[in-house]
Structure formats: C-alpha cells, structure tokens
Amino acid sequence: MLDPASPPRTSSQGTRNPICDGSVHLDPLSYRANELQKRTEHATELTEDLSRISEELDSLKSRMDDLGSGMTDSKPLVAIKQGLARLKTEIKQMDLRIGVIQHTLLHAKLKNKGPMSMLDSPTFSIQILSVYDSRF
C-alpha cells in the first residue's frame, strides 16, 4: 500500500503520480471553475445580443406602425380639400372683380356715348384698371 509519509511516486518518465499528491482532486475543481466562468461569460454575451436584437425589433415595429398609420392617415386628403375650398373662394372673388370691371366699362361706354375709338384706346384701359384697383 501507499504510505502517506512517503514522497509522491513518479512514473518512468519522471512525472508525478496525481493519485498520490492530491492533484487529481484539484484539477477537476479548477477545470470546472474555468468552465463555469467561460459559460457565464458566454451567457452574458448572449444576453447582450438578445437585448440588442430586442431593441432593433422594437425600433422596426415602431417604424412599421408609423408607416401603417401614415397610409390610413387622412391629413393629406384634408389638406387637398382645404386647398380646393381656397381655390373656389379665389375663383368667386375673381368672378366678382371681373363683373365689377365689366360694369365699370359698360358705365363708361354709356356715359360717353361718343366715338368707340376712345374706348379702345390704351389710356382708357389704364383708367379703368386704376378705378378697379382703387376699389379693391
């Protein structure tokens, strides 16, 4: 048998016998500690990857929601309708102005009852436009 007080045995190649010196018990413990540390680091890396991917997923979901709500959003349609209403109002105002100019021209023709050549002169047109501009 082995004597505990005797020095550790060595094999023929000069290495120590792990059974005798107790290193058999220490090596598996340190090996397992290293494995635990490596696996813990790997789990931490995977957790970080998961959180990064979750953030990207949330970002993509919010972008998709924004795009989806933009397609059903009626703001552009409302803006077009408001623009058409403004155009209709401006057309009515222009029709009114045209009517005023026509009335002024007819009034001037009736007042003058003179030669029509005077009504066709450029100065007469300028006078009519100045009257129109002063009213609006």
Side-chain angles (χ1 to χ4, degrees):
M1 291 245 132
L2 293 175
D3 183 10
S6 67
R9 295 184 193 173
T10 60
S11 66
S12 61
Q13 297 166 344
T15 59
R16 297 176 70 179
N17 187 350
I19 296 175
C20 296
D21 65 2
S23 63
V24 169
H25 298 289
L26 294 178
D27 284 342
L29 184 61
S30 65
Y31 172 76
R32 291 190 187 239
N34 283 338
E35 282 296 313
L36 176 64
Q37 183 180 3
K38 287 179 186 177
R39 290 183 183 195
T40 303
E41 289 172 1
H42 184 66
T44 303
E45 290 173 6
L46 290 175
T47 304
E48 290 172 357
D49 288 345
L50 176 64
S51 78
R52 181 183 49 81
I53 291 171
S54 295
E55 288 175 7
E56 288 178 18
L57 178 64
D58 291 341
S59 173
L60 286 174
K61 281 183 180 179
S62 67
R63 283 191 0 208
M64 292 298 290
D65 288 342
D66 290 344
L67 288 175
S69 67
M71 289 181 193
T72 59
D73 192 13
S74 62
K75 287 181 183 178
L77 183 61
V78 170
I80 290 171
K81 286 183 178 180
Q82 289 174 348
L84 285 174
R86 280 191 305 253
L87 281 175
K88 286 180 182 179
T89 304
E90 288 179 14
I91 289 171
K92 287 179 183 178
Q93 289 175 352
M94 290 300 294
D95 285 341
L96 179 65
R97 290 177 182 173
I98 289 170
V100 169
I101 290 175
Q102 286 176 344
H103 174 72
T104 306
L105 182 60
L106 180 62
H107 188 282
K109 283 182 185 180
L110 292 175
K111 185 178 179 182
N112 287 332
K113 287 191 183 179
M116 294 303 284
S117 62
M118 185 180 119
L119 294 177
D120 294 332
S121 70
T123 56
F124 181 74
S125 298
I126 292 172
Q127 291 171 354
I128 295 296
L129 289 176
S130 66
V131 169
Y132 169 73
D133 287 336
S134 67
R135 290 186 182 187
F136 293 98

